[in-house]
Amino acid sequence: MHPPRLRPILCQLKAARLQRSISTSKPVVELAYDLYEPESSKKNPGAPKNAPVLFLHGLFGSKKNNRSMSKVLARDLDRPVYALDLRNHGNSPHSPHHDYTALASDVEAFINTHNLHNSTLIGHSMGAKTAMCVALRSPSKVANLIPVDNAPVDAALKSDFNIYVKGMMEVERAKVKKQSEADEILKPYAKELAVRQFLLTNLMRAKDGPHMIWRVPLNYLAAALDDMADFPYRDPDEIRYEKPTLFLRGTKSHYIPDETLPIIGRFFPLFKVADIEAGHWVISENPEGFRRAVVEFLQDKD
């Protein structure tokens, strides 16, 4: 065992080595984003900006999912909010490499490119694990962290994403011309209307014909489902994030069961948990509960 005073230094050195070895293995992509400025910045554009918030969506999502909440958080926190499209989603480039180390590298490159400091990372589901990886690998870039309904563990996806992909592939093969046709095809694969509407936000008109296509590369994402269930770090004695962290979990969701709390505490020793009355889709199901938890947590840090 190393003396206690040396452990933080050793953790930082190991994290730096991990980051160098990982970030050079796969090319980063330049992420699309929307920026929501607080009123204070609009009224006085030359004034120094408050610490930014980066908002990361989940699998099959995009920056558009978080548009309304980004505006609300920019207003309530008086901070700029960057809503990102992660690789293979929204308007960001596609890549066959889709795992959390690649996703984290993209976000780190975004922070560097935009010269952001003391950032808060908020991520839902896939975005939560991405945000956790960034914080663990690059703690100096992240002032505080809010993972939403996901834990730093290797666990099978607890919803039906593989079934959704099968339905989406059937839509693609059918070359539908209307969104309503796609909805009918998806019904056996996603019985809840809200889920189908969420998936259908990825449907767009093809440039080379009257049919509709998916904005996301289904072949890449289908191949990445196991990686999305995984978490790339196993040993919290080697890498940890020792800054304020708030885990938000839906009371009707099973993504952060109580048995994961000990390992969460080892990776993120300054963590808190807030339960929100919702399923896995916490932000859309209970936006006010989500907003209140985030604002209360971050106002304490200002």
Side-chain angles (χ1 to χ4, degrees), residues 97-98 127 187 234 256 264:
H97 301 294
H98 194 92
K187 281 182 179 178
R234 299 285 187 271
I256 309 181
I264 287 174

Side-chain angles (χ1 to χ4, degrees), residues 65-186:
N65 300 140
N66 298 319
R67 178 166 45 197
S68 297
M69 187 55 65
S70 294
K71 293 177 182 178
V72 168
L73 293 180
R75 178 199 69 197
D76 290 356
L77 296 169
D78 193 32
R79 294 168 62 173
V81 178
Y82 293 81
L84 307 186
D85 276 338
L86 298 176
R87 63 167 58 197
N88 294 319
H89 290 77
N91 296 322
S92 285
H94 296 174
S95 169
H97 301 294
H98 194 92
D99 57 30
Y100 287 115
T101 55
L103 292 164
S105 294
D106 294 342
V107 175
E108 290 163 359
F110 183 91
I111 291 172
N112 291 338
T113 299
H114 293 266
N115 196 28
L116 303 180
H117 303 282
N118 298 317
S119 300
T120 293
L121 296 190
I122 303 176
H124 172 250
S125 196
M126 177 184 77
K129 281 189 172 179
T130 301
M132 286 185 255
C133 288
V134 175
L136 289 169
R137 285 169 36 153
S138 303
S140 64
K141 299 181 189 301
V142 183
N144 33 62
L145 176 67
I146 305 179
V148 184
D149 217 52
N150 218 339
V153 295
D154 181 3
L157 290 176
K158 295 180 176 65
S159 70
D160 299 318
F161 285 104
N162 58 332
I163 299 174
Y164 301 159
V165 169
K166 291 179 182 178
M168 294 168 78
M169 287 181 168
E170 186 172 335
V171 169
E172 192 169 65
R173 287 191 294 270
K175 292 188 178 295
V176 301
K177 295 182 175 62
K178 299 178 182 178
Q179 194 171 88
S180 58
E181 296 172 6
D183 184 62
E184 281 299 317
I185 293 173
L186 283 176

Side-chain angles (χ1 to χ4, degrees), residues 8 21 25 37 46 50 52 100 106 114 136 180 186 197 229 239 275:
S21 64
S25 61
E37 296 272 17
N50 293 330
Y100 287 115
D106 294 342
H114 293 266
L136 289 169
S180 58
L186 283 176
Q197 288 175 334
I239 186 169
D275 290 334

Side-chain angles (χ1 to χ4, degrees), residues 4 8 54 58 64 71 87 147 155 163 182 193 216 231 235 247 255 259 298:
L54 275 65
K64 291 182 179 179
K71 293 177 182 178
R87 63 167 58 197
I163 299 174
L193 175 61
V216 296
F231 191 69
D235 188 355
F247 279 81
Y255 275 77
E259 53 264 33
L298 291 178

